[in-house]
Amino acid sequence: MIKQLQAFLSTLLDSLRDLAPIILVVAFFQLVVLRQPLPNLADVLVGTVLVILGLTLFIRGLDLGLFPFGESMAHAFARKGSVFWLFAFAFALGFGTTVAEPALIAVAEEASKAAAGGGVIPNVEAERDQYALGLRITVALSVGFAIVIGVLRILRGWPIQWVIIAGYMGVVVMTQFAPREIIGIAYDTGGVTTSTITVPLVTALGVGLASSIKGRNPMTDGFGLIAFASLTPMIFVMGYGMLY
Amino acid sequence: MDGLATELLTTLVETLRDVLPIAGILFGFQLIVLRQPIPRLRQVLTGFAYVFAGLVLFLVGLERALFPLGKVMAAQLTDPAFIIDGIDDVLGWDDYYWVYLFAMAIGFSTTIAEPSLIAVSMKANKVSGGAISPWGLRIAVAIGAAIGISLGAFRIITGTPLHLYIMAGYVMVIVQTIFAPRMIIALAYDSGGVTTSTVTVPLVAALGLGLASTVPGRSPLLDGFGMIAFTCLFPIMSVMAYAQISEWRARCNARARKEGD
């Protein structure tokens, strides 16, 4: 119990240090550059305390739950030896964690406004909602696809740079053909797909798989799943823009 | 203060909606496909509860303290009334120096606090047997994000085409891949995606939107995007550079020791 408490306190100190830069930056710009007092000081203080507590709990939880569980699942899949179920799991994990991602929902909404403004779709709410939903499903499919390809790469031991370079070429080629107003959105969706819960899970899956398959190195083969997950959405979304 | 309880409750429900499908997939596959009991069930469940509660508090806190302040700041700093220096009334790209500095500072500091980056750096430290220090990695990523975001601001202000920057970035990444130590490559590629999460995206998006709607000749619909893509691209380069520099320094040290003998 005392050991638990000690671990918690040391994580708390770490969180404090992690957040110190933001506090300094915001205070500097507010007080020195914009020369304005902090509005709602009470809100800011309460918020900061919540952020620090939240980060501490999250990091403790990763160590206790998400990391060990993700890895034990990866080991179990490697032992089971069924490639079909492993791919099904990889796809479900990619699709399921992305389709409801709040950041993606926000970007899809912005994108539908951009499309309506550019005259791609009629500017009525039903059309915009449909466009946004289609975009979300496209992105979720692309992330599911990315995790499957990433797992296949770990199984086969392909060097990551070849897959990434192929993906870059895909992006470059699609950029030539995609309508202009979708390009910026497509590039941005690559970044918003990987949420705070997805990242540790997917990392644990990759590292766990690479360390339980003979001849794979968890460092060179285990990482890289997130890289794919932020690359394929660009290609898929530009494709979506071309179809519309 | 009474708003806090409702805020906590709504965020709780929203996060639950986000987390439940993931938990469903994990436990569903574990129990139906793998047909195995969960090892150390109590500890795992406690961990999941911590992650969930932590995320809720983190989001509510950000929404209360950082986001409103950061968004107002982004709007004020990009406001032409603030930027105009009084000497001439034509705005050039170099009049936006506070914007670049803000972009850089906010990019660096939010990346340092990004929970998914902390997670990946913990894992990388463990997997590399301590060779990769969590702080070294995080600072390298944060420097990349800082450069990316300020360059993104510069691009919106000058109105230069986004895809040219991205393609130049790709060429740079490929060249660095040839020379960087093998061990770091996959991790470097990953660090692009982990930079842009909970803390960074809303602030960066607000900055981009603020710029695109106030800089003359830009449209928020066409030019507001692209900042996040930059934030994803530059950490790949800075992490590879970090590994290249560490390797180079290790080699220099080894040579110096040899000559000392």
Side-chain angles (χ1 to χ4, degrees), chain A residues 124-212:
Chain A
V124 285
E125 204 185 327
E127 288 281 336
R128 281 204 310 269
D129 285 351
Q130 205 197 347
Y131 185 89
L133 184 67
L135 192 68
R136 268 170 61 193
I137 291 175
T138 308
V139 173
L141 281 174
S142 72
V143 175
F145 175 73
I147 307 290
V148 170
I149 293 288
V151 166
L152 180 67
R153 177 191 83 87
I154 296 175
L155 296 181
R156 288 296 170 91
W158 293 334
I160 186 165
Q161 55 271 34
W162 297 118
V163 189
I164 291 285
I165 290 174
Y168 280 178
M169 281 182 198
V171 173
V172 171
V173 169
M174 291 299 271
T175 306
Q176 309 302 320
F177 298 107
R180 197 182 156 236
E181 61 277 351
I182 199 88
I183 293 177
I185 300 160
Y187 287 173
D188 273 1
T189 46
V192 295
T193 48
T194 43
S195 78
T196 312
I197 305 176
T198 321
V199 167
L201 273 175
V202 167
T203 308
L205 174 71
V207 169
L209 271 180
S211 55
S212 50

Side-chain angles (χ1 to χ4, degrees), chain B residues 78-99:
Chain B
T78 51
D79 187 356
F82 171 79
I83 290 159
I84 245 136
D85 47 11
I87 302 168
D88 49 53
D89 44 288
V90 183
L91 279 177
W93 66 269
D94 49 345
D95 289 325
Y96 287 85
Y97 46 90
W98 279 122
V99 173

Side-chain angles (χ1 to χ4, degrees), chain A residues 13-208:
Chain A
L13 280 179
D14 285 346
S15 307
L16 210 63
R17 198 186 46 191
D18 295 337
L19 288 160
I22 295 193
I23 297 171
L24 287 177
V25 166
V26 169
F28 173 78
F29 274 88
Q30 188 76 3
L31 302 175
V32 181
V33 180
L34 294 166
R35 293 207 195 113
Q36 275 159 6
L38 286 173
N40 314 324
L41 193 63
D43 268 357
V44 171
L45 283 179
V46 171
T48 309
V49 170
L50 289 181
V51 167
I52 292 171
L53 265 179
L55 189 60
T56 309
L57 278 174
F58 179 82
I59 300 289
R60 289 294 303 145
L62 283 186
D63 262 341
L64 289 175
L66 242 59
F67 275 157
F69 186 50
E71 265 178 60
S72 89
M73 278 192 88
H75 291 308
F77 270 113
R79 262 202 314 277
K80 190 177 165 71
S82 157
V83 176
F84 169 78
W85 281 116
L86 178 57
F87 283 171
F89 176 65
F91 184 83
L93 197 62
F95 187 90
T97 54
T98 310
V99 78
E101 165 66 28
L104 177 63
I105 296 177
V107 168
E109 214 170 283
E110 287 299 315
S112 71
K113 281 184 207 151
V120 181
I121 51 170
N123 197 357
V124 285
E125 204 185 327
E127 288 281 336
R128 281 204 310 269
D129 285 351
Q130 205 197 347
Y131 185 89
L133 184 67
L135 192 68
R136 268 170 61 193
I137 291 175
T138 308
V139 173
L141 281 174
S142 72
V143 175
F145 175 73
I147 307 290
V148 170
I149 293 288
V151 166
L152 180 67
R153 177 191 83 87
I154 296 175
L155 296 181
R156 288 296 170 91
W158 293 334
I160 186 165
Q161 55 271 34
W162 297 118
V163 189
I164 291 285
I165 290 174
Y168 280 178
M169 281 182 198
V171 173
V172 171
V173 169
M174 291 299 271
T175 306
Q176 309 302 320
F177 298 107
R180 197 182 156 236
E181 61 277 351
I182 199 88
I183 293 177
I185 300 160
Y187 287 173
D188 273 1
T189 46
V192 295
T193 48
T194 43
S195 78
T196 312
I197 305 176
T198 321
V199 167
L201 273 175
V202 167
T203 308
L205 174 71
V207 169

Side-chain angles (χ1 to χ4, degrees), chain A residues 15 18-19 22 51 54-59 62 66-67 194-200 203, chain B residues 51 54-55 58-59 62 109-123 138 194-200:
Chain A
S15 307
D18 295 337
L19 288 160
I22 295 193
V51 167
L55 189 60
T56 309
L57 278 174
F58 179 82
I59 300 289
L62 283 186
L66 242 59
F67 275 157
T194 43
S195 78
T196 312
I197 305 176
T198 321
V199 167
T203 308
Chain B
V51 163
L55 209 56
F58 193 70
L59 291 173
L62 286 178
S109 57
T110 54
T111 304
I112 287 289
E114 200 64 79
S116 36
L117 178 60
I118 301 178
V120 167
S121 70
M122 279 160 62
K123 202 89 213 163
R138 283 167 64 192
V194 298
T195 332
T196 46
S197 271
T198 330
V199 200
T200 319

